[in-house]
Amino acid sequence: MNKHLLNKARVFEAMQEMQISEQERPAFHVTGTTGWINDPNGFSYYKNEYHLFYQYHPYSMQWGPMHWGHMKSSDLIKWERLPIAMAPDELYDRDGCFSGSALELKDGRQLLMYTGVEKKRTEAGEEKEYQTQCIAYGDGINYEKAQENPVIGKSELPEGASEMDFRDPKIWCENEKFYVVTVNRIENGAVLLHESEDLVHWKYCGILDSSQGELGSMWECPDFFPLDGKQILMVSPMEMKINGEDFHVGNGTVCSIGSYDKQTYQFKKESQHLIDYGIDFYAPQTMETPDKRRVMIAWMQAWSTSGFVPEGAKYFGQMTVPRELSVKNGRLYQNPVRELEKYRKEKVTYSNVEICKPTTLKGIEGRILDMTVELLDVNQFHDFTIRVASDGEYYTLIKYDSEKGILWVDRSNSGFLHDIVHARSITVKPMNNMLKLRILLDRFSMEIFINDGEKAASFCIYTPQNADGIIFDSDGEARINIEKYSLME
Ligand code: FRU
């Protein structure tokens, strides 16, 4: 294999990394070493460590021919940078190594499965990107693409399936057999299932679910796994239509909860909802930890706003905090991985504080923190607000409208001067007359976990770091409990 492109990219990123100080990055959210990142890839456990790869264009702040960037961690919070794992250096992937997944093999090797992209002329003479599924084997640092690549292509596709929109393999192993889900434009976005005994020869098993025009025009980044007695199918649809409070227009992420018959390959949906209600969340991928927790990570960015790179940025794109998943009341619950709690310090608590005018509280401030606010007796006011990352000029607003039962999150005043979507409204239901918000701030982002993880919402905020105030207010007599920790530093 010609390693020229890979070596060039490795040297380039190592040089750039030295120019970026720790303070210019989030404290506990993954960023690329330099340049642009998008989807998390190959989120997995290998030789007693967590591995995370990502869609990566090291050479600019824009998307370009995709490489796989690479990091590892012992606790999902502190990550160590590793050299780039793959570059687009073969004929079948020369226009990009697109998203995929990873697996520890019995023989001790780490398997990467990804989409190879190659621009070719169609019979009509048009240039199009053809997508196939490919594999590579490695030792946790260096990877060799298989000679048999591509391993899934036209001949393993059902009639009517697209060869141009066919990507994002998520692989798993069960009873000595390998299974992979991919997405295809057939039926306006579908999840296909293939199985194999040797990773090289794959048999098409069927379509697990499809949009049929109901949920976007094409799906991306599938994941399929059992959880709490149910089967979960996650996809990121493109060009979704608006549907009430739940589905906003454009790219989204959807979780379907149902059951799966492994003999007949039938997935039966019981319920379906958005995975994250914020602005910046796409292409989530999950893995199972050694203690059997299902953990999800996603690109904390939206495609629609990804052209707006903050001035002076030395890298672009970050991942969400890894989140533990569970199923309750027909919904996917998500909470930051418990490992984050190890990094909590300087606990500050308040109980039963009355809020009836703009209020700041001693010790409640900061930009790298984990804060839970319990809003008691939600019928004692109409609006309750929290302004975070605030300094009089800048702030990001979280407003609970108790009459409408809506949480309104707005980053219009966060310092981002582009005319793009800045706000979302989220339907919330108090639990026993109480609303619980866990807010994670980390330099350039805010993630909110509502009512013990029933809903989550992620937002990038590029507010100057000295805007670190937090202001509570209400138009009635709100009462709150607070538990706040600084994180890391
Ligand atoms: C999703 C996606 C994937 C593709 C990758 C390319 O964000 O479009 O479908 O594999 O990004 O970078």
Side-chain angles (χ1 to χ4, degrees):
M1 195 186 295
N2 174 4
K3 296 270 185 197
H4 168 68
L5 272 183
L6 181 65
N7 291 335
K8 182 177 139 205
R10 282 181 167 188
V11 170
F12 181 81
E13 72 162 8
M15 302 280 290
Q16 298 300 310
E17 186 191 350
M18 294 188 303
Q19 331 258 332
I20 307 177
S21 70
E22 293 251 314
Q23 282 66 36
E24 292 173 285
R25 296 186 186 276
F28 61 99
H29 286 82
V30 166
T31 57
T33 304
T34 182
W36 156 285
I37 66 166
N38 55 289
D39 315 352
N41 294 157
F43 187 32
S44 59
Y45 199 68
Y46 175 68
K47 295 204 167 149
N48 303 318
E49 284 171 309
Y50 296 101
H51 282 253
L52 179 68
F53 303 80
Y54 46 83
Q55 288 288 277
Y56 191 27
H57 184 241
Y59 301 112
S60 79
M61 303 298 150
Q62 276 82 39
W63 190 89
M66 283 288 119
H67 297 59
W68 273 39
H70 191 188
M71 296 185 103
K72 68 174 186 176
S73 170
S74 58
D75 66 1
L76 293 162
I77 302 295
K78 277 239 180 285
W79 292 88
E80 180 189 330
R81 295 189 180 281
L82 294 173
I84 297 181
M86 291 195 288
D89 51 12
E90 292 289 340
L91 187 62
Y92 52 81
D93 66 15
R94 64 178 170 181
D95 292 299
C97 299
F98 275 18
S99 282
S101 46
L103 200 63
E104 176 160 3
L105 299 176
K106 273 199 170 153
D107 63 11
R109 291 180 300 170
Q110 189 178 30
L111 173 87
L112 307 183
M113 188 162 194
Y114 69 102
T115 300
V117 180
E118 184 187 356
K119 283 191 189 140
K120 290 195 276 194
R121 295 220 171 268
T122 60
E123 280 168 17
E126 257 181 284
E127 197 176 57
K128 288 265 172 168
E129 286 186 352
Y130 284 77
Q131 305 186 337
T132 54
Q133 312 320 317
C134 306
I135 53 176
Y137 300 99
D139 60 1
I141 294 188
N142 294 305
Y143 299 84
E144 291 293 333
K145 294 174 184 170
Q147 299 205 328
E148 298 89 343
N149 279 342
V151 293
I152 313 183
K154 187 177 182 194
S155 45
E156 291 79 23
L157 280 174
E159 217 187 302
S162 168
E163 285 177 75
M164 289 118 194
D165 279 306
F166 170 43
R167 56 183 177 268
D168 307 341
K170 176 76 199 291
I171 189 171
W172 73 97
C173 180
E174 203 175 326
N175 298 330
E176 314 274 309
K177 262 199 184 167
F178 298 101
Y179 296 88
V180 71
V181 282
T182 52
V183 284
N184 195 287
R185 194 178 279 275
I186 191 171
E187 297 179 12
N188 284 113
V191 174
L192 311 186
L193 178 71
H194 285 81
E195 67 175 25
S196 170
E197 282 176 19
D198 60 4
L199 295 165
V200 171
H201 304 92
W202 290 88
K203 192 181 111 204
Y204 170 67
C205 306
I207 290 183
L208 288 176
D209 194 17
S210 67
S211 158
Q212 322 249 9
E214 289 293 308
L215 216 57
S217 60
M218 166 64 189
W219 289 355
E220 299 190 302
C221 301
D223 204 340
F224 191 57
F225 52 89
L227 183 65
D228 296 335
K230 296 286 180 190
Q231 187 74 19
I232 310 292
L233 179 67
M234 298 194 327
V235 290
S236 298
M238 300 163 74
E239 294 162 355
M240 289 217 289
K241 284 189 206 132
I242 196 154
N243 180 355
E245 287 297 330
D246 233 30
F247 296 134
H248 50 77
V249 73
N251 285 63
T253 53
V254 176
C255 148
S256 300
I257 304 177
S259 59
Y260 179 50
D261 182 338
K262 291 182 188 171
Q263 261 63 52
T264 59
Y265 310 122
Q266 299 294 314
F267 172 65
K268 232 208 246 143
K269 252 187 287 200
E270 291 159 13
S271 61
Q272 192 167 58
H273 60 80
L274 206 63
I275 303 178
D276 187 283
Y277 292 77
I279 295 173
D280 297 300
F281 186 94
Y282 198 65
Q285 190 172 81
T286 73
M287 56 129 356
E288 194 179 51
T289 60
D291 60 359
K292 306 278 173 223
R293 286 173 292 153
R294 183 56 65 166
V295 175
M296 171 179 78
I297 195 164
W299 184 35
M300 190 153 51
Q301 181 62 52
W303 274 114
S304 58
T305 61
S306 66
F308 301 97
V309 177
E311 226 183 284
K314 296 184 181 162
Y315 63 88
F316 185 67
Q318 53 185 325
M319 300 299 174
T320 63
V321 74
R323 303 172 183 179
E324 284 179 27
L325 301 181
S326 57
V327 178
K328 267 194 261 174
N329 315 319
R331 289 193 63 91
L332 186 72
Y333 274 61
Q334 44 190 304
N335 283 296
V337 279
R338 61 197 68 169
E339 284 84 346
L340 187 65
E341 289 160 30
K342 273 194 333 208
Y343 294 96
R344 283 172 161 177
K345 35 174 230 177
E346 298 156 3
K347 179 175 180 176
V348 181
T349 58
Y350 283 90
S351 72
N352 222 358
V353 185
E354 192 178 293
I355 306 288
C356 52
K357 57 176 194 288
T359 306
T360 54
L361 296 164
K362 189 161 179 283
I364 306 291
E365 78 241 315
R367 287 291 292 276
I368 304 172
L369 57 81
D370 182 352
M371 174 172 77
T372 299
V373 178
E374 289 176 346
L375 188 48
L376 313 167
D377 293 339
V378 294
N379 44 18
Q380 298 300 309
F381 55 86
H382 182 283
D383 286 344
F384 169 83
T385 60
I386 310 176
R387 286 176 164 76
V388 301
S390 130
D391 70 348
E393 179 179 1
Y394 299 113
Y395 62 88
T396 290
L397 178 75
I398 304 166
K399 180 171 96 175
Y400 175 58
D401 176 331
S402 64
E403 256 162 50
K404 293 200 183 117
I406 280 189
L407 196 72
W408 171 255
V409 186
D410 188 347
R411 63 170 185 193
S412 305
N413 291 285
S414 69
F416 208 173
L417 294 181
H418 296 283
D419 183 13
I420 52 176
V421 58
H422 286 304
R424 288 267 188 253
S425 68
I426 308 162
T427 315
V428 291
K429 278 200 207 90
M431 320 181 279
N432 304 324
N433 219 17
M434 190 256 280
L435 185 71
K436 194 166 169 186
L437 303 176
R438 181 170 173 195
I439 300 168
L440 295 187
L441 292 182
D442 184 7
R443 290 201 180 111
F444 310 108
S445 68
M446 173 176 74
E447 287 161 283
I448 309 177
F449 299 86
I450 303 163
N451 288 344
D452 295 322
E454 185 186 0
K455 288 187 175 176
S458 311
F459 302 85
C460 293
I461 51 170
Y462 299 109
T463 315
Q465 297 304 308
N466 49 9
D468 65 352
I470 298 181
I471 305 168
F472 303 92
D473 196 3
S474 100
D475 58 4
E477 283 166 17
R479 285 185 307 111
I480 57 173
N481 295 334
I482 307 176
E483 184 172 311
K484 182 241 156 188
Y485 301 86
S486 308
L487 289 170
M488 327 290 285
E489 283 192 328

